Amino acid sequence: HYEQKIKFLFMQIGINALAAIKQPRTGVEEYVYQLIKNLTMLPETREHRFLLYLPAKILGKDYRKENLFDFSLPSNFEIKFLRWPLPFLWTQLRLAWEMWRRPPEILFIPVHVLPFFHPRKSIVVIHGLEYEYYPQYYSFWRYLYLRWSTKRALKKAQRIIAISENTKKDLIKLYKGQADKIEVIYHGAEFLRQLSENEKQKNWLNFFAIKKPYILYLGRIENKKNIQGILTAYLILKEEYKIPHQLVLAGARGYGYKNLKLLINNLSEKRHLEIKELGYVDEEKKWQLLIGADAFLFPSFYEGFGLPILEAQRAGLPVVTSSVSALPEIAGEGALLVNPEKQEEIALAVKRIIDEPALRDKLKKLGFENLKKFSWRKCARQTWQLMKNL
């Protein structure tokens, strides 16, 4: 009798939590990390049990069981390590085997790959279909895998979370997805934290030899982010408009990096452009870079969301981004929108921000207003509501 009552009152939710502990933590990883962190803070989740599935192999790296997350897990959140000898197929096979043997009532997959075996009540998050629009920026096998796994999730999962209205439209248009099966839940935007006195003394601009004024790009250094277009626009800004600014590129290496690095070196050496490529930067360095910049460039060819735009707006930074995919939806009115294929248009938008103080102030205010739509707590609460409704 009591066991029946407990089963009625408490749900057991399984989450593939691997992305939350991956480093460096970029867009998708930040989403999974923030979602789990904020789910732990919701009063309404405290009466239910959450299983965070992770590969047991991570304990052999620099991790210890007690420091996998830099926030405290409440007692109803349990890490469940699953042993698997191979460096791949952990989700499709090992997690699938766990679902066959000991399925939770609900399985939540935050990164589009649904295991072969899964509970009937499964929720999968789709982060974008950029590979359908720009397949040339993916390896052949990566493209096939993304297409197969996304289509399968759309068919097999009971609910789909799309991270923007644009992604939902793409799922319906390209894959004939059912509109009533797809829920749009936005990412959040982390509040700009105050730097400690110790952090303020660490002047990362001097450390990286960055001189003000500068223009900033933050994201992966890869072809689909339109890095080549950014470099060409910067060349126009320097040679035609004679701006004094450096260009700072901060982000991990992505697809096509080798050729982009050759182009960066060529422009720096032969055209004497002041380009600083920093690689991946942690939170402390990132916020110092954002606060010190004059403009933020993010003219990507396609984005399912565009989290760096919100980070720039949080820092009060004027944004130039693309007029395509989900970017206008996420940026709102707090950005200048450009055609990512037209480098002259990108350059002119940056020049306007540099030359027009009133425009800078307007974009800053509209950016702060736009941020009111986005909250990690709201994201977690809407996700929990979807779980509960199943």
Side-chain angles (χ1 to χ4, degrees):
H1 173 72
Y2 286 114
E3 286 177 356
Q4 287 176 344
K5 283 187 106 177
I6 289 170
K7 188 174 181 181
F8 176 74
L9 290 170
F10 296 87
M11 286 196 297
Q12 190 177 82
I13 300 103
I15 300 177
N16 182 350
L18 179 57
I21 63 167
K22 280 188 175 179
Q23 296 292 339
R25 208 166 67 221
T26 53
V28 172
E29 293 82 13
E30 184 69 15
Y31 162 72
V32 184
Y33 169 86
Q34 291 289 353
L35 181 64
I36 293 174
K37 180 179 179 179
N38 282 271
L39 280 172
T40 67
M41 298 177 183
L42 295 179
E44 52 265 49
T45 64
R46 290 173 188 165
E47 294 183 351
H48 303 277
R49 187 181 181 212
F50 290 81
L51 298 173
L52 306 180
Y53 298 111
L54 292 171
K57 273 199 166 186
I58 62 170
L59 294 178
K61 298 182 180 179
D62 295 330
Y63 297 107
R64 295 198 310 273
K65 188 173 181 179
E66 61 271 18
N67 69 355
L68 284 170
F69 296 94
D70 59 4
F71 55 87
S72 298
L73 289 175
S75 59
N76 62 317
F77 278 74
E78 176 188 339
I79 299 175
K80 193 167 182 62
F81 293 103
L82 306 179
R83 298 193 177 280
W84 182 244
L86 302 176
F88 46 83
L89 297 178
W90 179 83
T91 298
Q92 296 91 328
L93 297 182
R94 181 59 185 91
L95 184 56
W97 176 243
E98 186 70 16
M99 295 302 100
W100 175 264
R101 295 175 64 211
R102 290 180 288 267
E105 290 175 75
I106 295 172
L107 176 65
F108 181 75
I109 300 293
V111 191
H112 81 250
V113 182
L114 192 64
F116 283 117
F117 299 116
H118 53 86
R120 184 178 65 85
K121 296 178 180 178
S122 292
I123 302 171
V124 178
V125 184
I126 305 297
H127 292 267
L129 275 69
E130 49 266 66
Y131 55 88
E132 291 287 7
Y133 291 94
Y134 294 94
Q136 67 271 30
Y137 297 145
Y138 295 80
S139 68
F140 177 70
W141 294 110
R142 177 69 175 160
Y143 167 76
L144 289 182
Y145 179 69
L146 286 168
R147 173 177 254 209
W148 168 81
S149 59
T150 305
K151 282 186 173 183
R152 181 173 177 274
L154 192 60
K155 181 180 179 181
K156 299 289 186 180
Q158 192 165 352
R159 289 288 185 274
I160 295 291
I161 292 175
I163 62 173
S164 63
E165 291 289 349
N166 182 79
T167 299
K168 179 176 180 175
K169 289 176 184 175
D170 279 348
L171 288 169
I172 295 169
K173 180 177 73 173
L174 300 178
Y175 293 164
K176 310 301 181 187
Q178 300 171 236
D180 59 354
K181 185 178 179 176
I182 305 168
E183 185 88 9
V184 175
I185 299 179
Y186 286 142
H187 288 0
E190 190 176 16
F191 284 100
L192 179 59
R193 65 183 178 85
Q194 293 293 323
L195 297 177
S196 68
E197 289 303 318
N198 188 40
E199 288 173 330
K200 287 177 182 177
Q201 290 172 10
K202 297 176 186 175
N203 192 325
W204 292 111
L205 300 188
N206 288 343
F207 178 82
F208 290 123
I210 295 171
K211 298 176 183 177
K212 290 184 179 183
Y214 63 91
I215 302 160
L216 178 65
Y217 162 82
L218 185 67
R220 284 192 180 276
I221 311 300
E222 60 185 359
N223 290 331
K224 70 178 181 179
K225 300 294 188 183
N226 197 16
I227 301 301
Q228 185 168 345
I230 290 174
L231 294 170
T232 305
Y234 182 59
L235 179 64
I236 295 169
L237 284 163
K238 293 297 283 187
E239 296 195 342
E240 290 189 23
Y241 296 120
K242 310 299 181 185
I243 67 166
H245 295 63
Q246 286 185 331
L247 173 64
V248 178
L249 306 173
R253 300 174 182 182
Y255 187 80
Y257 173 79
K258 186 176 180 181
N259 289 334
L260 291 172
K261 182 63 177 175
L262 290 174
L263 180 59
I264 291 169
N265 291 341
N266 183 55
L267 289 172
S268 298
E269 294 169 9
K270 295 184 179 179
R271 306 300 284 267
H272 307 292
L273 297 187
E274 299 175 276
I275 304 170
K276 293 286 181 182
E277 189 206 343
L278 309 184
Y280 174 78
V281 294
D282 61 24
E283 290 296 299
E284 179 187 332
K285 300 182 185 73
K286 177 176 73 177
W287 289 118
Q288 283 200 14
L289 289 169
L290 285 166
I291 292 168
D294 277 5
F296 184 73
L297 261 181
F298 200 73
S300 179
F301 289 123
Y302 184 104
E303 294 290 330
F305 191 79
L307 193 56
I309 290 174
L310 300 184
E311 293 177 327
Q313 290 179 337
R314 180 67 68 197
L317 191 53
V319 174
V320 174
T321 192
S322 301
S323 58
V324 299
S325 65
L327 292 167
E329 177 185 347
I330 304 308
E333 296 182 356
L336 295 182
L337 302 180
V338 297
N339 184 337
E341 306 281 355
K342 296 183 177 180
Q343 294 83 18
E344 297 85 357
E345 197 173 315
I346 299 170
L348 184 58
V350 174
K351 184 68 166 55
R352 285 190 62 200
I353 287 173
I354 292 170
D355 289 349
E356 301 176 31
L359 177 62
R360 289 200 301 273
D361 291 342
K362 178 184 175 183
L363 291 175
K364 181 177 179 178
K365 290 175 184 176
L366 290 172
F368 285 142
E369 190 66 27
N370 182 59
L371 287 168
K372 294 177 182 178
K373 296 188 296 184
F374 305 96
S375 156
W376 286 119
R377 191 62 55 85
K378 181 181 176 182
C379 174
R381 184 162 276 121
Q382 289 178 330
T383 303
W384 165 247
Q385 191 63 45
L386 188 63
M387 293 174 181
K388 193 175 73 168
N389 288 345
L390 288 188

